[in-house]
Amino acid sequence: MRKSYLTLTLTLLISVFSLSAQTQSETIKTFLSGIVSFENVSVDEGSPISTVNELAAEQADKIMVLTKDNVIDMVAEAEKYKHCLITVRNHTVAKITDHLDFVQSGSWGSVMPKGEGYVAKGGLNHKVDYLNNIIGSADAQERKVYFFGKK
């Protein structure tokens, strides 16, 4: 009797946790709700940030490639828009959440605002930090910036 009660309890707990866990594509859709439209689009579950890059490129008001040389311009331009997304190749997506809370970044040679994002590393890892700590140090990786909703 005790063994079957334990088995039933474990089965129920596993079921509850399984139902509450979001897929990577659901996580990304929720994160970008109100910014990027995923209507009638199949999100690549194995690489959802690749899908974000495609959709954002179609839907953004303005796009730029982020480099150490233009980061100051990007931060200034982002203040003119309701939403600013930055992707690092197909493994990181971040958005600026607070233009007034920022930190000086030695790697980027500029102030970097507060942000939130996901880094794909054995799953999607949620990060809330300054943008430089989410998108990494200035290096040769391609970083794209998507601006939405001019103020």
Side-chain angles (χ1 to χ4, degrees):
M1 175 75 171
R2 185 177 181 141
K3 198 174 200 181
S4 60
Y5 177 73
L6 181 62
T7 303
L8 178 63
T9 303
L10 286 174
T11 303
L12 286 172
L13 284 173
I14 290 170
S15 297
V16 168
F17 285 119
S18 296
L19 290 174
S20 66
Q22 284 188 322
T23 65
Q24 290 188 71
S25 60
E26 290 169 334
T27 299
I28 291 296
K29 285 179 181 180
T30 301
F31 177 64
L32 298 177
S33 176
I35 303 171
V36 175
S37 172
F38 290 90
E39 191 172 328
N40 300 321
V41 174
S42 177
V43 177
D44 181 353
E45 186 62 37
S47 183
I49 297 169
S50 295
T51 306
V52 170
N53 280 319
E54 293 170 20
L55 294 174
E58 295 170 4
Q59 299 172 22
D61 295 319
K62 184 174 181 174
I63 302 168
M64 71 188 296
V65 174
L66 181 61
T67 66
K68 187 174 182 173
D69 294 332
N70 70 4
V71 68
I72 293 170
D73 296 333
M74 181 280 294
V75 172
E77 189 69 15
E79 291 182 28
K80 300 175 187 174
Y81 289 84
K82 292 177 186 169
H83 305 285
C84 176
L85 298 180
I86 298 107
T87 60
V88 184
R89 296 182 18 188
N90 64 352
H91 61 75
T92 301
V93 62
K95 61 184 175 183
I96 294 175
T97 58
D98 189 345
H99 293 281
L100 300 176
D101 186 0
F102 53 86
V103 67
Q104 181 66 37
S105 169
S107 170
W108 286 95
S110 171
V111 297
M112 295 297 264
K114 192 76 168 204
E116 178 181 8
Y118 285 91
V119 178
K121 196 172 192 176
L124 289 177
N125 299 301
H126 185 240
K127 286 187 155 199
V128 176
D129 204 335
Y130 294 100
L131 210 51
N132 55 311
N133 295 324
I134 301 171
I135 66 170
S137 300
D139 60 19
Q141 289 188 80
E142 184 177 68
R143 290 171 174 83
K144 289 202 177 170
V145 184
Y146 304 97
F147 303 96
F148 298 86
K150 188 131 182 161
K151 292 181 183 175

